[in-house]
Amino acid sequence: MSDNNSSTAKSYLDSAIAQGQSALGSLTGSTGDKTEAAARKDQAAAEKEASHTVGKLGPLNVSPSGGVSTDDPNRSEGSWNQTLGSAKESLGGLVGSEALKKEGAQQNAEGKGQEAQGQLSDFGSGVQDRVKGAAGGMVAGITGDREKEEEMKRVHDDAKTKQRSAEADIQKQAEA
């Protein structure tokens, strides 16, 4: 929906065009086509990266498209419970209290579940609202309602930011 050239779909299209252009250059022996294909492929990779970029400050998320979202409260509360749980585990180990270690481990595990619940909630609502924004924007465009079209673009962009933020956090945890 954004017109800032950071669309994932546009990056896939540009990548496919680059592949075709590269194949044409190989068939014809044209170094110009090969060079242009390589540049287009690099541009497609940059577009894809930009479409997945989200700036994060606490529970606030901002994307290059101007989308803004806030995290589900379960994400930050779960993270806090993990921190407290880990601290209790460490303190329990330090002072020799198995009960405190056990309590900390349980709080840590519950915090992980709580954070995951918030991430899934943000991901799901992000996808749902992106569809709502895209569909609403198309209808508004067809009917000529420019104000509604802009409103639906904001809905789409904010939802994309929420979805991408959840994806980034889920990816970080998967890599840890």
Side-chain angles (χ1 to χ4, degrees):
M1 281 297 305
S2 291
D3 56 0
N4 67 350
N5 293 326
S6 66
S7 165
T8 304
K10 184 176 183 324
S11 73
Y12 289 141
L13 177 61
D14 284 346
S15 184
I17 291 170
Q19 291 291 344
Q21 197 168 21
S22 179
L24 179 64
S26 293
L27 287 173
T28 63
S30 169
T31 57
D33 280 338
K34 289 180 185 179
T35 303
E36 194 173 324
R40 187 179 289 255
K41 183 178 176 187
D42 290 344
Q43 178 184 353
E47 288 169 353
K48 183 176 182 202
E49 179 67 26
S51 78
H52 288 262
T53 302
V54 175
K56 190 166 183 67
L57 180 61
L60 183 65
N61 309 295
V62 181
S63 71
S65 66
V68 178
S69 70
T70 54
D71 290 346
D72 182 289
N74 280 319
R75 288 172 72 178
S76 54
E77 291 170 14
S79 181
W80 179 246
N81 279 326
Q82 289 175 65
T83 301
L84 287 178
S86 292
K88 287 179 183 179
E89 282 184 89
S90 296
L91 184 60
L94 189 64
V95 299
S97 171
E98 286 301 315
L100 188 57
K101 277 177 67 174
K102 186 177 179 180
E103 180 184 334
Q106 181 177 347
Q107 187 172 4
N108 191 347
E110 288 172 358
K112 287 180 182 179
Q114 186 178 16
E115 185 178 20
Q117 179 184 1
Q119 290 167 341
L120 290 175
S121 174
D122 280 350
F123 180 81
S125 66
V127 170
Q128 184 179 12
D129 289 348
R130 279 181 78 180
V131 170
K132 175 184 170 187
M138 286 192 305
V139 169
I142 291 169
T143 61
D145 187 345
R146 298 296 167 227
E147 189 175 307
K148 185 70 168 178
E149 188 175 13
E150 277 302 309
E151 176 188 337
M152 290 292 101
K153 180 185 178 305
R154 280 189 302 278
V155 167
H156 172 273
D157 289 349
D158 290 350
K160 179 178 179 180
T161 303
K162 180 175 282 214
Q163 177 190 346
R164 296 293 193 224
S165 170
E167 287 174 349
D169 285 352
I170 291 167
Q171 184 65 35
K172 267 194 267 182
Q173 288 176 344
E175 292 172 354

